[in-house]
Amino acid sequence: MEFTKQFKEYAASIGCDLVGIAPIERFAGLAPERHPASIFPEVKSVIVVGKRIPRGALRGVEEGTQFNTYNCYGYAWLEDRFLSMITVKTAEFLENNKWEAIPMINLPVEMGPMGVPVQPGNPAPNVLIDFDDAAVRAGLGEIGYLRAFVTPQFGARQRFYIILTDAVLDPTPVLKEDLCERSKKFAEYCPLGAIDASNEETIEIAGKKMKVAAIDFKKCAQCKNGAMPNRRHPSGKPDRLAALCMRTYMAHLEKAGRVENKFVNQFRTRPPWVVQGEREIIGEGSDIE
Ligand code: SF4
């Protein structure tokens, strides 16, 4: 549809790296507490917009010499400035074309409701959408073995916001191919033993099945290897995108040729720094093949 093309072209022109569109029907079966239609009953399309985390934003963490760069350009500013501006501008584009558009911030679903239902039949506010779940439904990628979202374009390096709209847009197909090899070896990327490859489960979203390992997020909350607390809410999962596990995973995906965003040089060319955990660190050098 011509309007969908115009919308995507506009989003790209203002720096949006990823756009996925899920028709609301793909959310069938979700609980009202998680359902976009609880927020906007007339919603027809759930748009997931994404901004890449520059690989360079991870460099200071990888070297153990500069953590603020990631905190700003990979985390706080990326979400609160760059991605939030893209989200509101694309929402404005829709409203300039007479479609209501609700820009939504990515809040951890672990927060739970913060109030009581204000009328019979309503879920308690705030209804919280799981953004990774929505991004699968919107065709942007998959949830990898280490429970981080993976896209063909950037691997694990991106963040998402959402726009709900009553515009009917061309859906993005749910990604069929597998991006993550889902190897038990990936559990060895964590020096604290937080990833348990003996305890896997398969999650299914919009017909896409994804095998993931159990992760002890309590250990991640204590991790000094580049993980950061969830800055939205203390009950939210820690931010692991700059942690040793995810940097090693990123280096692996790049080396395996599974990321479209290519670089002249490899990300990891020497052993990463690590605060030693309870098991010996492996994954030194470029990868643990
Ligand atoms: S964040 Fe830290 S503790 Fe958690 S899986 Fe990654 S390296 Fe392990």
Side-chain angles (χ1 to χ4, degrees), residues 189-192 194-195 215 219-220 223 225 227 240 243-245:
Y189 291 168
C190 173
L192 301 178
I195 304 166
I215 295 182
K219 286 187 177 174
C220 301
C223 177
N225 296 300
R240 296 180 298 138
L244 177 62
C245 56

Side-chain angles (χ1 to χ4, degrees), residues 146 186-187 189-195 214-228 238-247 274 281:
L146 301 183
F186 295 159
Y189 291 168
C190 173
L192 301 178
I195 304 166
I215 295 182
D216 184 346
F217 287 107
K218 289 195 180 107
K219 286 187 177 174
C220 301
Q222 303 298 320
C223 177
K224 305 288 187 250
N225 296 300
M228 296 194 181
D239 177 71
R240 296 180 298 138
L241 294 185
L244 177 62
C245 56
M246 296 310 301
R247 283 182 280 114
V274 58
I281 178 64

Side-chain angles (χ1 to χ4, degrees), residues 243-261:
L244 177 62
C245 56
M246 296 310 301
R247 283 182 280 114
T248 308
Y249 181 60
M250 181 191 78
H252 168 78
L253 290 177
E254 286 188 3
K255 197 174 170 193
R258 291 176 172 260
V259 182
E260 291 172 10
N261 186 207

Side-chain angles (χ1 to χ4, degrees), residues 262-273:
K262 309 278 187 209
F263 293 84
V264 173
N265 296 311
Q266 286 190 29
F267 178 72
R268 181 167 293 166
T269 55
R270 53 193 159 267
W273 68 276

